Amino acid sequence: MAMWGGRFTEATLAEFRDFNDSLSFDYQLALQDIAASRAWAAGLLQAGIINQTEAQQLDAGLADLAIAIKADPKLPLQTQEEDIHSWVEAQLTTTLGNVAKKLHTGRSRNDLVATDLRLWTRLSSQQVRASLLGAIAALLAFAERAGSAVMPGFTHLQRAQPVLVAHWALAYVEMFKRDLGRLDDALKRLDVCPLGCGALAGTGVAIDRQLLAQQLGFAQAALNSLDAVSDRDYVVELSAAASLCMTHLSRLSEDVIFFCSGEAGFFKLGDAISSGSSLMPQKKNPDVFELLRGKTGRVLGHLVAILHVLKGLPLAYNKDMQEDKQGFFDLMASWQQSLRVLATVLPHLTVNEAQCRLAAELGYSNATDLADYLVAKGVAFRDAHELAGELVLAASAQQKPLEALTLAQFQQICPLITEVVFAALTIEAGLAKRQALGGTAPHQVAQAFIAAKQWLELQTKSS
Ligand code: ARG
């Protein structure tokens, strides 16, 4: 039965109900609705609206309902109630009778749904947080396995300078660390309780809202009733955090897809995480990384959708806000699943060290090292750049790498060059030189790895 029948004389149309009702998706808030209702019942007792016996009845009835939901989370879908709030009340009325009709005193579905969704978001954010830490751990394990493997680093997708494969993996660790910071930051502002704000103007019940907030595990009660019932900032903030994190995941996927291609051949996908082609027998496709890239589009879409839902809304609650849920539920699920999948597939990704090294040796990615060698000889960098460029031109005319030029050929362009140039042009020399903080020198990468591992341990302990 609807919660608002009294002033209506006609039945509602089935098609209107289909469009209006939200039980088909907000049933996922059942446990949160029950938790909020238990706290509210305790508040009603304190305010003298219900007596001890009634409070106990309500609490026991709600506790039983929570057990039933845990056993069968889709239980509400067996009914035709309008939404999860109506469902909880209807169930209580069936089991407890008249006392259940007192539960909704002084509250509204507007403050209730705002509270339920915050409770749900807090819980699912904790799950995302754990999955994000899992993805970081998997990246660190990959970096460790990559050891001293070296590959070309790219700018403009042109081979630029050699980097350690581990340095590449640690770049994504940095991104995910920032994502975790954004998630935690959004959760600070989520930590506010709207319950007790009524429909929009505040509740008439003499309730201690700070105590109510505390009981539900919130840091404080929301300070303005109009804002409290219509604030969905946390949905936007988490959707934005998810969008950026997924964007990082998508860039990582794009890298991996290219690194696994026949053209690069740096990484190899294990059979357990690859798919084939129904037509071309030779194919082994990186579907999983393509899907991660694709899911990113879906998550970004949800962010844009919620911003559009909110942007034109007058204060306070409007039914448009019911549209906050489906996209957001999907966003949080897609985010968490994507992070979990990344952690699952990374152990099946291997590095083809020989191929990586070969590619790092080609493409004149040691040309900067040649310029730096000339700088060490006292040549100004701009001139050194010019000379190194001329040597690249000379070498490429002969279709040779720089180090295959003879000393005489080097000296023809710059007489200052000696035999030592060949040592300066090795990959090892180029890597070792980049030893300032944040560089790809093996020692720096090892330090960065240790720091990231320590950071992860600290995060895992504190969560
Ligand atoms: N199903 C609604 C939502 O998700 C609950 C609040 C309904 N409030 C109301 N006054 N119609 O937003």
Side-chain angles (χ1 to χ4, degrees), residues 173-391:
V173 169
E174 288 304 312
M175 294 178 225
F176 286 152
K177 275 165 61 186
R178 292 196 294 274
D179 291 327
L180 195 86
R182 272 181 281 270
L183 176 73
D184 286 346
D185 195 47
L187 288 178
K188 281 183 218 151
R189 281 179 293 277
L190 171 138
D191 207 4
V192 167
C193 183
L195 200 57
C197 284
L200 77 161
T203 184
V205 172
I207 210 154
D208 182 342
R209 288 199 51 235
Q210 293 294 10
L211 192 68
L212 188 65
Q214 252 176 41
Q215 274 166 354
L216 288 168
F218 288 108
Q220 65 168 101
L223 296 179
N224 180 295
S225 61
L226 289 169
D227 176 47
V229 295
S230 61
D231 173 21
R232 296 293 184 275
D233 285 6
Y234 61 98
V235 176
V236 174
E237 285 194 55
L238 283 160
S239 299
S243 297
L244 194 44
C245 182
M246 289 297 295
T247 299
H248 295 147
L249 206 57
S250 185
R251 294 185 71 177
L252 182 149
S253 301
E254 174 60 22
D255 269 349
V256 172
I257 291 164
F258 170 59
F259 294 166
C260 289
S261 69
E263 278 59 38
F266 303 163
F267 293 178
K268 206 166 139 263
L269 293 171
D271 284 357
I273 57 155
S274 312
S275 16
S277 156
S278 58
L279 177 74
M280 299 164 281
Q282 85 283 12
K283 292 283 288 245
K284 189 163 163 188
N285 296 327
D287 291 31
V288 70
F289 289 97
E290 292 167 330
L291 274 171
L292 288 172
R293 197 174 52 184
K295 293 258 185 237
T296 304
R298 170 168 165 171
V299 166
L300 266 51
H302 291 318
L303 168 64
V304 174
I306 184 66
L307 283 167
H308 276 278
V309 166
L310 296 174
K311 78 179 233 334
L313 295 188
L315 283 182
Y317 178 82
N318 300 268
K319 192 64 172 253
D320 314 44
M321 287 180 154
Q322 183 164 288
E323 286 295 315
D324 60 2
K325 288 172 205 61
Q326 282 159 297
F328 189 51
F329 289 165
D330 182 67
L331 173 139
M332 292 299 274
S334 304
W335 189 12
Q336 203 210 343
Q337 188 189 28
S338 301
L339 289 165
R340 271 206 328 261
V341 164
L342 178 70
T344 306
V345 300
L346 277 180
H348 298 268
L349 196 64
T350 48
V351 178
N352 184 340
E353 266 197 61
Q355 183 62 28
C356 284
R357 192 180 172 93
L358 198 68
E361 281 167 355
L362 298 175
Y364 303 100
S365 50
N366 52 2
T368 318
D369 301 315
L370 179 56
D372 289 348
Y373 164 84
L374 293 172
V375 167
K377 291 250 154 218
V379 181
F381 179 75
R382 192 49 58 217
D383 297 330
H385 186 283
E386 183 73 23
L387 290 168
E390 285 175 35
L391 282 158

Side-chain angles (χ1 to χ4, degrees), residues 38 59-69:
R38 289 179 82 172
D59 196 65
L62 286 162
D64 285 345
L65 213 48
I67 293 170
I69 288 288

Side-chain angles (χ1 to χ4, degrees), residues 13-29:
L13 285 180
E15 198 170 349
F16 163 76
R17 279 203 310 274
D18 275 354
F19 192 59
N20 185 62
D21 293 0
S22 53
L23 187 66
S24 63
F25 49 90
D26 69 13
Y27 77 91
Q28 294 173 72
L29 298 176

